[in-house]
Amino acid sequence: MEESHGTEAGTERVDQETTATSWEPRIVAFICNWCTYTGADLAGTSRMKYPPYVRVIKIPCTGRFDPLFMIKAFERGADGVLVSGCHPGDCHYTAGNYNARRKYTVFKDLLATLGIDMDRVRFSWISASEGGKWVDTIKHFTEVIRGKGPFREYREMIDVG
Amino acid sequence: MSDRTEGIREIARKWLGDGTVEAVVGWEQGTYKDKTSPVLIRTPEEADRLLFNERCTNNLMTYLKREPVRGMEKVGIVAKGCDIKALIGLLQESQVEREKVKVIAVTCPGVKKDDGTVPVKCRACDVNTPTFYDEIVGEKVDSSPEPGARFEGLEALDAMTPAERFRFWRGELDKCIRCYACRQVCPLCICSRCIAEKNQPQWVETSPHPRGNFSWNLVRAYHLAGRCVECEACETACPVNIPLMLLNRAMARTVKGAFDYEAGKDPETQPPLRAFNLDDDNSFIL
Amino acid sequence: MPYMTLDRTDLPSLAEALAGRGKRLVLPVREGPELFYREGADPAQLDLSTIPKNSIKEFLFPKSEKILEYEYTGNDVVIDDVDPDAGPAVIFCARPCDAASLPVVEPLWNWDYKDKFFNERRAQTLVVTYACRTAPDDACFCVSVGLSPSSDQGSDVLLYPVDDTRVAVRLVSPAGRELEEVFSGFKKGEVSEESLDAFAKEGEQSLADRKRLDKVKNWLEGHFEDPLWEEKASRCIGCGTCTFLCPTCHCFDIQDESVFDGGCRLKNWDGCQFSLFTLHTSGHNPRDTQPKRYRQRILHKYSIYPEKFGRILCTGCGRCVAHCPVNLSLYDVVSTAQERAEKGE
Ligand code: SF4
Ligand code: SF4
Ligand code: SF4
Ligand code: SF4
Ligand code: SF4
Ligand code: FES
């Protein structure tokens, strides 16, 4: 597994990993247990291949997603963050994803207002049967992030004293 | 303005005298320059300390969330139209009971900031004559919101590239000293323990370095999205003059554009992040 | 003894000359409606029209400062001591109440523990103070706490703007006197000692209506419980503006910021006006209401600190008066205490 230990919070030590030429994108994906996670699982059991640079964090439902998850991920070294869950109408808890969609709408504008590069943030709906969509989403997002390089601006804002 | 002052005193005197309320929250003359100061009046005799003038900038609704007002059975509160918007927000979220709060509304031609300028909220005001109250004083003032005033600061921000915006905010938020005055003064920041004070886990870095400050200011603006009534109390209180209203107004604009919602208008509606529509914008979700 | 004068318009060049070889330079500049002391600001922007909103505290006791680093290696923790990230600095045109805050807080930082971070910064900081000809703000009350608009306490050099064009120079400390040459380079004329005395008088005169606060300590000692606290401070919203803008407030919090393989420990500003400040793990809070927290601030400044260190923990800069968002004025509170003490109440 690629190490995420090199990420610094509260220290100014240089992140060797990202300065080296071997840098690969670090993507954190917050995905709901019932749809996208199962879809990603399907991709795995179907032996579909996709870039291994995504760290999956399972949440019960996109309704559980809190924008602070994304901020924490950026603080700790994520180069891109994906949030994905059940398609509208399919949420296991009926309306978690509708509520989430409103939160995304507001939060993405807030991030944009603050000048966070919105290409590093992505939202999707991927169902349990859409292993292929999961693979395509990750492939595409990985390429976008690879093109952008490491997201240092956020995590390195820790100069004190 | 003096008739308004008289009107406020009269109602306060009456309510305190007949036991309608335990206390009245209002403004009194301050001790520094021409500032006014929030005051808690408990007896009819003290009612003469109350006043209204163009320096009554504080949004007194913030006292509803803190002791001793919070614990009172019935309380009177003096409020401008913009302050009442905050009360409406609190009612929507069941933070206060309508029966508990008796509002002395005051019609308002606009207030002045410490530096003598007129705040944006007054130029954009649509509630110079309040419509939600128990008693009202002062003659009717017609509202004529200056077109575009409300979101005028956002244009410059919109015109920047993301990288320029990031640099701009980095510079501004670098100044934040994490005094939390913005939160303390806000009538709608109602949590008894703010997320910024939770440490297991510690979601928001409490250190006032730029990264911790981004995290804090993001959370504050996000938690106020669709709730903030643009009273400007936070920006006015910020001791390092961070333009917090740019964030608040950006959120208000988003909420208006995406959900056709404005905070503080109707106590019967749901705030936009407590509700949804099946046909909300889905275009940005892959 | 006459004192040299220089041209007011030469102040920016003087600032640059003093900072000279690679010193950090702090000076007051305008940002919007107010002034702020800023490090690295352009000396040409020097603005002396009033007292800055922030104090000089942050250049000696930063709002956040790393005090150690650690790494986990296996089951061990390796701790690395860090040194203050300071270096020589010049604070140019500090106000007298700011400079005077330094000798007020020095004993605190050297009491049971010698704080190397403050001490090292202090040792490396040259304070060039700009005396106030008249009080720059309605909130000023330095004379009430035994200081004055031309106090030299804590200053290495004191500049007197004797008139609209000339600034007289008094080298106060040994470190200041060592700079004689730099100042001489700008010398344009001289003024007599008497004119500096007249200047000082004019400054004090501008604050003639301020009360001396010499009986406040006594009053406080007998009025821990008093309706005054509720009456004045139930409006306090606990925002901490007063403590953070204050040059003498010095409370801090210790925070660890760590990831998987290590982290660092930071010393961050904290303040007694926050409810969390005294909250125990059990949930008990000995200062459970805002008036009690406000009372603490006054007691600490005007009773506890003087008791322990022999000095009032306040230089009368007036920031907590001018910038409190609810206009709860410390001067109003302590002068009320003084009045009551005078009346024997
Ligand atoms: S966020 Fe600021 S402008 Fe909005 S309601 Fe709170 S204090 Fe008022
Ligand atoms: S910022 Fe958020 S968590 Fe903190 S008090 Fe305001 S609403 Fe509550
Ligand atoms: S009031 Fe200003 S300085 Fe204080 S926490 Fe809020 S943004 Fe930061
Ligand atoms: S207590 Fe107030 S007046 Fe005294 S030094 Fe601090 S900020 Fe200045
Ligand atoms: S006294 Fe004023 S500045 Fe200080 S905490 Fe209370 S409200 Fe804030
Ligand atoms: S369960 Fe998948 S989004 Fe709600």
Side-chain angles (χ1 to χ4, degrees):
Chain A
M1 201 195 101
E2 214 192 46
E3 297 294 314
S4 53
H5 295 189
T7 61
E8 320 296 357
T11 78
E12 286 163 39
R13 281 168 292 164
V14 177
D15 188 333
Q16 296 301 337
E17 193 187 330
T18 51
T19 49
T21 44
S22 66
W23 175 81
E24 290 295 349
R26 264 185 298 227
I27 292 171
V28 175
F30 295 97
I31 62 181
C32 104
N33 178 42
W34 302 100
C35 288
T36 305
Y37 190 83
T38 317
D41 211 22
L42 177 66
T45 49
S46 317
R47 299 184 174 275
M48 294 183 204
K49 285 217 172 344
Y50 61 92
Y53 310 119
V54 55
R55 278 86 168 159
V56 165
I57 296 176
K58 186 158 74 168
I59 51 178
C61 169
T62 53
R64 173 66 183 92
F65 177 74
D66 188 301
L68 275 171
F69 296 178
M70 194 179 279
I71 293 306
K72 218 30 153 196
F74 285 139
E75 267 175 19
R76 296 290 171 102
D79 302 309
V81 176
L82 169 74
V83 191
S84 185
C86 313
H87 283 271
D90 290 351
C91 174
H92 200 74
Y93 308 97
T94 319
N97 53 1
Y98 290 125
N99 285 299
R101 188 165 62 185
R102 285 214 156 183
K103 292 198 246 176
Y104 303 164
T105 301
V106 164
F107 191 64
K108 77 175 169 51
D109 277 14
L110 180 56
L111 290 180
T113 304
L114 285 162
I116 307 279
D117 181 352
M118 292 313 288
D119 291 343
R120 297 189 181 275
V121 174
R122 198 154 279 212
F123 304 97
S124 65
W125 306 130
I126 297 174
S127 78
S129 60
E130 292 177 316
K133 185 174 179 186
W134 168 256
V135 168
D136 292 344
T137 303
I138 298 302
K139 273 188 186 160
H140 185 241
F141 197 27
T142 306
E143 278 328 296
V144 170
I145 299 299
R146 195 192 302 283
K148 304 221 142 247
F151 190 25
R152 302 170 162 286
E153 298 90 319
Y154 198 89
R155 67 174 179 272
E156 289 179 358
M157 287 194 289
I158 41 172
D159 32 307
V160 296
Chain B
M1 296 279 175
S2 63
D3 53 330
R4 294 189 175 92
T5 295
E6 245 339 291
I8 293 166
R9 289 177 183 173
E10 206 173 295
I11 297 164
R13 221 177 279 126
K14 179 165 166 297
W15 284 355
L16 289 163
D18 65 16
T20 308
V21 296
E22 281 169 63
V24 173
V25 188
W27 302 279
E28 70 171 342
Q29 189 54 53
T31 55
Y32 174 66
K33 293 190 176 162
D34 60 353
K35 277 198 185 192
T36 62
S37 181
V39 64
L40 192 64
I41 299 292
R42 292 176 188 264
T43 64
E45 297 71 47
E46 288 175 308
D48 282 347
R49 286 165 66 178
L50 295 167
L51 59 73
F52 184 76
N53 63 35
E54 63 180 14
R55 298 292 286 119
C56 291
T57 47
N58 287 78
N59 185 342
L60 304 176
M61 294 302 163
T62 190
Y63 289 99
L64 292 177
K65 72 177 179 187
R66 57 185 86 244
E67 296 300 344
V69 176
R70 190 190 172 114
M72 289 178 182
E73 293 275 314
K74 286 253 186 199
V75 65
I77 194 157
V78 192
K80 312 180 287 293
C82 52
D83 306 334
I84 293 170
K85 288 185 177 181
L87 175 62
I88 289 174
L90 294 170
L91 292 169
Q92 279 174 308
E93 296 176 8
S94 309
Q95 290 300 321
V96 291
E97 286 159 33
R98 181 67 188 92
E99 302 69 51
K100 167 188 165 151
V101 185
K102 299 275 283 174
V103 181
I104 307 176
V106 40
T107 65
C108 171
V111 294
K112 288 228 171 75
K113 301 209 274 193
D114 290 358
D115 63 6
T117 59
V118 177
V120 171
K121 68 166 178 180
C122 296
R123 291 200 280 119
C125 185
D126 56 2
V127 285
N128 300 71
T129 299
T131 53
F132 186 90
Y133 51 77
D134 295 281
E135 294 282 353
I136 186 162
V137 304
E139 61 195 55
K140 187 163 183 291
V141 179
D142 291 324
S143 293
S144 51
E146 202 181 302
R150 185 173 168 212
F151 296 139
E152 69 187 3
L154 295 180
E155 283 152 26
L157 211 54
D158 292 341
M160 296 179 196
T161 64
E164 285 167 345
R165 271 202 294 278
F166 190 75
R167 261 198 304 281
F168 168 79
W169 283 112
R170 204 201 132 119
E172 288 296 335
L173 299 182
D174 201 1
K175 300 190 294 193
C176 175
I177 50 179
R178 302 299 275 284
C179 63
Y180 301 115
C182 47
R183 172 190 75 195
Q184 292 301 102
V185 80
C186 177
L188 288 151
C189 250
I190 45 168
C191 305
S192 52
R193 188 153 178 182
C194 175
I195 183 90
E197 291 176 342
K198 297 214 161 123
N199 49 14
Q200 296 224 341
Q202 188 180 59
W203 281 108
V204 179
E205 290 178 307
T206 58
S207 302
H209 48 51
R211 194 176 68 191
N213 294 346
F214 255 74
S215 188
W216 159 243
N217 283 278
L218 263 157
V219 167
R220 194 204 56 80
Y222 175 67
H223 285 184
L224 272 304
R227 305 173 62 240
C228 164
V229 292
E230 296 161 66
C231 71
E232 300 181 26
C234 50
E235 184 174 280
T236 307
C238 177
V240 297
N241 303 357
I242 296 172
L244 296 172
M245 288 311 294
L246 284 180
L247 292 178
N248 296 336
R249 291 201 181 98
M251 291 287 83
R253 185 177 62 178
T254 294
V255 161
K256 177 76 184 153
F259 316 125
D260 192 27
Y261 180 90
E262 276 181 56
K265 292 250 141 141
D266 179 359
E268 302 307 322
T269 56
Q270 284 282 333
L273 292 185
R274 280 175 123 199
F276 60 84
N277 275 331
L278 295 184
D279 56 0
D280 282 336
D281 179 22
N282 199 58
S283 60
F284 64 94
I285 307 178
L286 301 174
Chain C
M1 190 185 83
Y3 292 90
M4 70 170 111
T5 63
L6 33 96
D7 283 351
R8 212 181 159 121
T9 47
D10 282 337
L11 288 177
S13 319
L14 173 64
E16 275 176 279
L18 288 170
R21 297 126 277 161
K23 288 187 184 160
R24 300 184 298 141
L25 177 62
V26 173
L27 46 83
V29 290
R30 180 163 294 278
E31 280 179 21
E34 277 143 336
L35 305 189
F36 285 87
Y37 292 112
R38 292 288 184 222
E39 184 179 329
D42 176 7
Q45 301 300 313
L46 179 74
D47 192 326
L48 300 167
S49 52
T50 188
I51 175 174
K53 193 174 188 183
N54 59 342
S55 75
I56 64 167
K57 167 168 80 179
E58 65 193 71
F59 307 103
L60 292 114
F61 164 37
K63 63 181 178 174
S64 187
E65 181 164 43
K66 195 188 292 177
I67 55 174
L68 59 84
E69 287 179 345
Y70 49 88
E71 267 178 280
Y72 305 122
T73 50
N75 287 334
D76 290 329
V77 184
V78 182
I79 297 176
D80 306 314
D81 225 358
V82 300
D83 287 321
D85 166 26
V90 179
I91 300 180
F92 190 72
C93 290
R95 292 283 167 167
C97 50
D98 271 325
S101 70
L102 300 175
V104 171
V105 295
E106 272 156 20
L108 177 276
W109 294 114
N110 291 284
W111 161 36
D112 51 350
Y113 175 78
K114 303 215 175 317
D115 188 285
K116 73 170 179 184
F117 294 91
F118 178 86
N119 287 337
E120 197 170 319
R121 284 169 186 272
R122 177 72 187 104
Q124 296 203 62
T125 302
L126 186 86
V127 183
V128 178
T129 302
Y130 185 78
C132 305
R133 196 161 149 198
T134 57
D137 195 275
D138 291 359
C140 297
F141 62 99
C142 51
V143 293
S144 303
V145 291
L147 296 165
S148 86
S150 51
S151 156
D152 63 8
Q153 290 193 32
S155 301
D156 294 302
V157 179
L158 192 57
L159 303 175
Y160 296 74
V162 283
D163 54 36
D164 291 346
T165 55
R166 293 179 309 154
V167 176
V169 179
R170 187 153 75 82
L171 306 172
V172 180
S173 72
R177 281 192 291 276
E178 269 174 34
L179 293 163
E180 169 111 44
E181 234 173 90
V182 181
F183 285 93
S184 300
F186 291 90
K187 181 172 173 180
K188 290 285 162 62
E190 282 181 351
V191 290
S192 64
E193 187 149 12
E194 292 70 48
S195 51
L196 295 196
D197 291 344
F199 177 100
K201 261 211 187 75
E202 188 184 345
E204 277 174 40
Q205 209 50 46
S206 71
L207 290 170
D209 61 344
R210 301 299 194 277
K211 283 198 164 40
R212 288 202 64 85
L213 298 171
D214 51 358
K215 294 195 165 60
V216 175
K217 181 169 183 285
N218 241 322
W219 189 88
L220 290 173
E221 279 158 8
H223 295 81
F224 188 72
E225 300 290 349
D226 192 277
L228 180 80
W229 303 117
E230 274 285 327
E231 184 186 309
K232 298 283 184 196
S234 56
R235 74 196 64 195
C236 174
I237 57 169
C239 71
T241 296
C242 49
T243 56
F244 281 7
L245 292 183
C246 176
T248 61
C249 277
H250 50 255
C251 290
F252 59 84
D253 179 34
I254 297 292
Q255 276 285 325
D256 277 6
E257 286 189 357
S258 59
V259 281
F260 315 96
D261 58 351
C264 68
R265 181 161 293 179
L266 299 164
K267 173 174 146 197
N268 296 334
W269 284 358
D270 201 351
C272 57
Q273 299 309 290
F274 305 134
S275 61
L276 212 62
F277 190 69
T278 46
L279 182 65
H280 296 185
T281 316
S282 65
H284 173 65
N285 195 340
R287 291 183 212 138
D288 56 348
T289 66
Q290 205 54 42
K292 287 185 194 167
R293 298 191 269 273
Y294 188 77
R295 175 181 66 195
Q296 167 61 24
R297 184 161 193 271
I298 304 294
L299 281 171
H300 188 207
K301 291 190 171 296
Y302 281 82
S303 168
I304 301 166
Y305 199 87
E307 182 72 32
K308 191 160 189 81
F309 297 114
R311 310 195 54 147
I312 292 176
L313 185 67
C314 170
T315 63
C317 75
R319 290 188 176 90
C320 61
V321 176
H323 303 298
C324 168
V326 299
N327 191 213
L328 167 51
S329 156
L330 174 136
Y331 180 73
D332 175 49
V333 173
V334 289
S335 61
T336 303
Q338 173 77 13
E339 265 169 42
R340 294 200 184 166
E342 282 167 8
K343 284 192 253 159
E345 284 175 14

